[in-house]
Amino acid sequence: MAKYDQLPVFHETYMLLMTVFRDMNKVPRDVKYTLVENLKKELTDIIVLIYRANMVTNREHIIDEAREKLVKVQIHFRVLHDMECISTKLFALSCSRTESISRQLTAWMKYVERKNNMVNNISEPAYKKEIDAGIVGCENPGSVLSKFSGPQGE
């Protein structure tokens, strides 16, 4: 398992957070202390969720929560652009980064789902399923036992 700060999704989210801190200094004060602060909080929460998802085995609900928070981030950026608080260039950069984060979280979720499906399908050995279904039979059970327990009668 990779360390959380080596994950591409962590790096992309962190870069977006740094963009917010660096490039939101010309936003009007009332917007800065409401919308921009909420944006910073949501991005920080996503980073923490990425950390948590990387540390546990049951990560589906955590990734879903991160994806939901990312939608809020996209809405915040859209409102900032529509209010003309950020430039179109900054809005385009934020859209590109949020789209990249969204794709990575979706791919991570699909990977986790595939992995869980594989584990659930392998949980019961194939031969046990065949024995239960009556597909595998043994003409002489003593010959099979002798291979594993040594000569009969001992």
Side-chain angles (χ1 to χ4, degrees), residues 28-150:
R29 182 171 290 190
D30 60 330
V31 176
K32 184 184 288 187
Y33 293 114
T34 55
L35 196 57
V36 176
E37 286 301 316
N38 288 341
L39 183 60
K40 290 174 185 176
K41 182 188 180 318
E42 294 295 337
L43 285 168
T44 304
D45 288 348
I46 292 171
I47 289 173
V48 171
L49 288 169
I50 290 168
Y51 166 77
R52 284 181 42 210
N54 193 47
M55 292 296 147
V56 298
T57 55
N58 185 13
R59 45 181 69 113
E60 294 93 344
H61 67 283
I62 299 172
I63 296 172
D64 273 339
E65 189 177 344
R67 290 171 66 196
E68 183 179 318
K69 286 186 176 289
L70 189 62
V71 171
K72 292 178 186 178
V73 167
Q74 290 170 325
I75 292 169
H76 288 316
F77 276 117
R78 180 63 185 227
V79 169
L80 285 167
H81 182 259
D82 291 347
M83 291 175 53
E84 299 178 353
C85 295
I86 61 172
S87 67
T88 303
K89 181 179 177 182
L90 184 56
F91 179 63
L93 175 67
S94 68
C95 286
S96 171
R97 289 226 164 114
T98 55
E99 184 65 30
S100 173
I101 295 165
S102 177
R103 280 194 312 269
Q104 292 178 50
L105 288 173
T106 302
W108 196 6
M109 179 64 102
K110 287 181 181 178
Y111 168 77
V112 169
E113 288 172 351
R114 273 195 318 267
K115 187 176 176 184
N116 287 344
N117 286 340
M118 287 174 44
V119 167
N120 291 339
N121 290 340
I122 298 176
S123 63
E124 187 174 325
Y127 68 89
K128 173 128 173 54
K129 291 178 185 176
E130 291 173 352
I131 290 171
D132 291 344
I135 297 171
V136 176
C138 184
E139 306 296 324
N140 185 0
S143 64
V144 173
L145 291 175
S146 65
K147 292 179 184 175
F148 296 105
S149 63

